[in-house]
C-alpha cells in the first residue's frame, strides 16, 4: 500500500484559517515569521492561534535568517512544533539550532539545477523542502529535476487544486506544501482549502 501524501497549509494568519484547518485536518500548518512576507504574524499572535489548533496538527514556523536563539525559543515554548528555514541558513546554523532545541528542522532549498538537489540531499535537517524560489511565489519548478531524490521531502512551489494530484502521482512526495494556491486576494479561501485537501486525499 502506498503511503498517503501528507500536507501543509502554510501562511495561516487568522483564527478563521485555523478553524478551517481544524475541520480539514492537514498534518501540518505554517505560521510565517519572516517580516518581509505579507503573511507575517507576530509570535504573540501565533501563540494565540496555536492554542486554537487541534493538538494532532503540527505547527511549522517559517523563518528567513532569524537568530537561532529566537527560533529555538518559539520551539521550546511550544508555539511551534517544527522550524522551517527558508533563507541561506547553512549546516553550521542547523548545528547551532540543534544545540538549543531537540525539535525537528525543515530546510528549504530552491531547485534550479542538479547541484541544488545534491545540496538538499546532503542536508542534516530532519526534512527538506523543495521550492521554486524565495517561497510563497506561486510558481512551479521543473519537477523532472527531483525525480531521483531519495529522501522524504516537502514539495512546494506553485501547487494548487489544478496540479497537486499530478504532482503526487508523478513524484510521491512525503508532503505537499501550499500557500498562495489556497488564497483569493491574498487571504486564505475556505473553498480553495477544502478543494485542495480533497484533491490531495483523492
Amino acid at each position: 500500500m502506498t503511503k498517503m501524501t501528507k500536507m501543509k497549509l502554510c501562511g495561516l494568519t487568522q483564527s478563521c484559517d485555523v478553524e478551517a484547518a481544524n475541520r480539514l485536518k492537514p498534518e501540518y500548518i505554517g505560521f510565517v515569521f519572516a517580516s518581509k512576507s505579507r503573511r507575517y504574524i507576530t509570535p504573540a499572535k501565533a501563540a494565540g492561534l496555536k492554542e486554537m489548533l487541534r493538538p494532532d496538527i503540527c505547527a511549522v514556523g517559517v523563518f528567513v535568517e532569524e537568530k537561532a536563539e529566537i527560533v529555538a525559543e518559539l520551539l521550546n515554548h511550544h508555539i511551534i512544533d517544527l522550524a522551517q528555514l527558508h533563507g541561506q541558513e547553512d549546516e553550521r546554523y542547523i548545528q547551532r539550532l540543534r544545540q538549543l532545541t531537540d525539535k525537528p528542522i525543515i530546510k528549504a532549498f530552491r531547485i534550479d539545477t542538479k547541484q541544488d538537489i545534491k545540496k538538499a540531499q546532503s542536508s542534516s535537517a530532519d526534512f527538506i523542502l523543495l521550492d521554486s524560489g524565495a517561497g510563497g511565489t506561486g510558481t512551479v519548478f521543473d519537477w523532472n529535476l527531483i525525480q531521483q531524490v531519495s529522501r522524504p521531502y516537502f514539495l512546494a512551489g506553485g501547487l494548487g487544486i489544478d496540479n497537486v494530484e499530478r504532482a503526487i502521482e508523478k513524484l510521491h512526495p512525503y508532503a505537499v506544501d501550499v500557500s498562495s494556491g489556497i488564497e483569493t486576494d491574498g487571504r486564505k479561501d475556505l473553498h480553495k482549502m477544502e478543494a485542495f485537501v480533497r484533491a490531495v486525499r483523492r
Side-chain angles (χ1 to χ4, degrees):
M1 191 172 136
T2 54
K3 281 199 180 103
M4 180 75 101
T5 296
K6 300 179 190 305
M7 72 191 97
K8 172 167 158 254
L9 306 181
C10 199
L12 306 193
T13 59
Q14 310 288 325
S15 54
C16 57
D17 301 344
V18 173
E19 283 160 12
N22 284 341
R23 284 204 307 280
L24 297 169
K25 301 181 198 163
E27 288 75 15
Y28 303 91
I29 60 97
F31 297 135
V32 177
F33 297 109
S35 57
K36 287 183 180 162
S37 169
R38 60 183 170 81
R39 302 179 186 95
Y40 169 77
I41 60 171
T42 63
K45 183 155 190 201
L49 294 176
K50 176 71 156 77
E51 277 180 18
M52 291 174 55
L53 187 68
R54 288 172 59 106
D56 55 347
I57 300 175
C58 292
V60 178
V62 180
F63 302 91
V64 177
E65 284 146 57
E66 183 57 86
K67 286 192 179 106
E69 289 74 12
I70 290 173
V71 177
E73 194 178 333
L74 292 174
L75 288 162
N76 294 335
H77 284 92
H78 308 291
I79 292 168
I80 52 171
D81 305 300
L82 300 90
Q84 178 178 320
L85 309 176
H86 225 105
Q88 300 299 312
E89 301 89 356
D90 57 10
E91 283 296 313
R92 214 169 55 205
Y93 181 99
I94 291 173
Q95 297 317 317
R96 171 78 186 124
L97 192 51
R98 290 212 190 279
Q99 289 168 355
L100 300 167
T101 183
D102 59 357
K103 298 291 194 298
I105 298 166
I106 304 168
K107 177 70 186 101
F109 291 88
R110 177 181 175 163
I111 302 301
D112 289 318
T113 65
K114 288 206 167 91
Q115 202 52 41
D116 299 328
I117 302 290
K118 272 198 186 126
K119 221 160 96 181
Q121 289 263 57
S122 63
S123 172
S124 67
D126 300 275
F127 294 101
I128 54 175
L129 180 144
L130 309 179
D131 200 353
S132 57
T137 54
T139 50
V140 176
F141 63 94
D142 180 2
W143 291 342
N144 293 319
L145 283 170
I146 62 171
Q147 289 206 271
Q148 305 310 314
V149 173
S150 57
R151 61 181 285 185
Y153 62 88
F154 285 72
L155 178 67
L159 292 176
I161 300 148
D162 52 347
N163 65 1
V164 72
E165 283 184 80
R166 194 168 80 249
I168 290 168
E169 278 166 23
K170 185 178 172 83
L171 300 167
H172 309 291
Y174 166 78
V176 288
D177 186 333
V178 66
S179 191
S180 57
I182 50 170
E183 290 178 349
T184 299
D185 300 327
R187 302 293 283 268
K188 291 294 177 269
D189 179 321
L190 175 60
H191 299 297
K192 286 185 181 174
M193 290 169 86
E194 286 172 343
F196 185 87
V197 169
R198 265 202 313 277
V200 172
R201 294 203 170 126
R202 264 204 296 272

